[in-house]
Amino acid sequence: MGLTMEELEKKIADVVNAVAPEVVAQALEEKLKELDKPALRKAIVDDKLGGKEEEVEKYEKIAKFYKAVIEGDVATLKVLSGSTGAAGGYLVPTELYKEIVGLAHEQSIVLPRARHFPMKSNALDIPARGTAPNVYWVEEGAAKTVDTAMNFGKKTLSAKKLVAIVPLTDELLEDSIVDIVDYVNAEVAEQFALEFDNQALTGTGSPITGILGDANVNTVTMDTGKTAFSDIDADYLSQMTDALRSVALPGATFIMHRTILGKVRVLKDNNGQYIWAAPAGNQPATIWGYPYLLSDKMPALSESGADKAFVAFGNLKYFYVGDKGEMKVDMSQEASVTEGGTLKSAYEYDWTLLRFVWRVGGLVGVPAAFSILKTAAA
């Protein structure tokens, strides 16, 4: 005969009571641990990282840091960053620094190709050759002349503050932390990459002197009367390649705005052959046999004017980047930012503003490794 419901419940209770209390407690604790795992881990494993444990842990640390910044969790920030915030923001964890800088390298044309110098302070002196040493032959046993021709100067890399401000709306904050991490990392990296390229290519000295603004690079000036970018021709571009030191030519590229490329693609040499060649196999498209890079930070055709540099050619490994290897972030819900020329309050627009500061600098390390094309003054 079957058991009644009451009898079954009694038997179950007897079995439970017979189990050692510590065993029950341990089993319950394990279950609670499983239930306590954040949804973040599952989202990362399933949607982003394919279950790679080390990547999950890195991503979770980044997410935990962002959460602490947004919530003002000072204790957690101190543990994750090692910074008290007294100096104006918290140092981001190494994992977040590498993530943002890595994404910036992917979007920049200068950062991944430049030579990088780690900096322990805000300034780093780099030896720069002034004049070359004399080289001469001597007879066996003859006296050697003391060389007084060679001298060294120096270039100073200065770490400047590159700032990115990212607004988080209340609606975005209501989404998952995974969405916030992806959004913020991408926004910060893009802003850093574009502004660094802007300074490295066209900066005039505040804060960086870029390739077009460096008075010591080789300059090809268009003939009198050629005051418009549209006056560009094949000979000028050929002269730019001739101006470089031979050792800089391997790895050298043209750099220009996409609207200038539109003019270059129809230029021909003296034999009627186009100087632009389409990509073939693993080879990129070229101009006079050299690859090119396009940047919206270079002067566009619409910015044409007299006495103005607008095309560069050179080897970007001779552009030097100094990086202190640190980045700080802080948060405000009361500050104001300028958007489209209008000052907007974070409080008024329900924003949480994250401000990132990257200490980085750059300079043209070897001017002879670059040439620029400039329109005529008149």
Side-chain angles (χ1 to χ4, degrees), residues 12-342:
I12 292 174
D14 290 342
V15 172
V16 171
N17 291 332
V19 178
E22 61 271 16
V23 175
V24 175
Q26 182 178 352
L28 180 59
E29 183 179 351
E30 292 301 320
K31 287 297 180 183
L32 287 175
K33 282 182 180 179
E34 290 181 15
L35 294 173
D36 193 45
K37 286 184 178 179
L40 170 63
R41 173 171 289 264
K42 184 177 187 306
I44 295 172
V45 172
D46 291 349
D47 301 334
K48 296 185 61 61
L49 305 172
K52 295 181 181 178
E53 189 66 23
E54 65 279 5
E55 290 297 313
V56 172
E57 291 177 359
K58 179 189 80 172
Y59 204 87
E60 283 184 324
K61 186 174 182 179
I62 293 173
K64 189 175 182 181
F65 178 78
Y66 277 140
K67 186 173 184 291
V69 171
I70 294 167
E71 295 178 351
D73 184 350
V74 177
T76 299
L77 287 170
K78 287 181 179 179
V79 172
L80 293 175
S81 71
S83 169
T84 63
Y90 292 90
L91 285 174
V92 305
T94 301
E95 294 85 351
L96 178 54
Y97 171 82
K98 291 181 178 179
E99 181 79 9
I100 292 177
V101 173
L103 289 171
H105 276 234
E106 291 177 8
Q107 299 184 58
S108 166
I109 69 169
V110 177
L111 286 171
R113 297 173 174 86
R115 182 175 180 183
H116 290 254
F117 292 86
M119 300 175 67
K120 294 182 179 179
S121 63
N122 290 334
L124 175 66
D125 290 337
I126 302 172
R129 190 177 74 183
T131 57
N134 289 327
V135 178
Y136 51 89
W137 300 94
V138 295
E139 295 295 333
E140 189 72 29
K144 286 80 173 175
T145 304
V146 176
D147 185 0
T148 59
M150 186 175 183
N151 64 76
F152 283 91
K154 69 176 182 179
K155 289 180 176 289
T156 302
L157 266 172
S158 299
K160 306 295 184 179
K161 291 183 179 180
L162 184 55
V163 179
I165 297 178
V166 181
L168 301 178
T169 62
D170 286 353
E171 290 77 14
L172 181 59
L173 290 173
E174 290 171 1
D175 292 338
S176 74
I177 190 66
V178 177
D179 296 328
I180 294 174
V181 170
D182 285 347
Y183 171 76
V184 175
N185 287 355
E187 287 293 312
V188 174
E190 180 179 9
Q191 292 181 52
F192 279 155
L194 292 176
E195 179 51 28
F196 190 87
D197 280 0
N198 179 44
Q199 289 296 319
L201 297 174
T202 66
T204 57
S206 181
I208 293 175
T209 299
I211 297 169
L212 295 187
D214 193 312
N216 297 311
V217 302
N218 302 295
T219 301
V220 175
T221 303
M222 294 161 63
D223 296 335
T224 301
K226 305 288 187 179
T227 58
F229 294 172
S230 57
D231 291 324
I232 190 172
D233 67 29
D235 287 343
Y236 294 136
L237 296 172
S238 178
Q239 291 173 39
M240 293 177 72
T241 66
D242 293 339
L244 253 63
R245 293 170 53 185
S246 297
V247 294
L249 286 173
T253 62
F254 283 99
I255 307 172
M256 65 189 71
H257 193 275
R258 54 188 168 77
T259 56
I260 303 299
L261 177 64
K263 293 292 183 181
V264 173
R265 289 180 64 180
V266 298
L267 297 179
K268 297 180 180 180
D269 63 18
N270 294 331
N271 297 317
Q273 301 295 314
Y274 288 105
I275 65 170
W276 179 87
N282 294 327
Q283 299 302 313
T286 59
I287 299 169
W288 279 122
Y290 293 95
Y292 56 84
L293 298 167
L294 301 179
S295 173
D296 284 344
K297 297 303 179 181
M298 290 291 284
L301 193 63
S302 60
E303 301 172 68
S304 181
D307 195 28
K308 198 169 182 179
F310 66 106
V311 178
F313 177 73
N315 193 325
L316 286 172
K317 77 176 182 179
Y318 294 108
F319 188 92
Y320 296 165
V321 175
D323 186 352
K324 284 199 69 178
E326 66 179 42
M327 190 179 297
K328 290 185 177 181
V329 62
D330 55 15
M331 180 274 290
S332 174
Q333 294 175 325
E334 291 81 32
S336 297
V337 293
T338 301
E339 183 182 57
T342 302

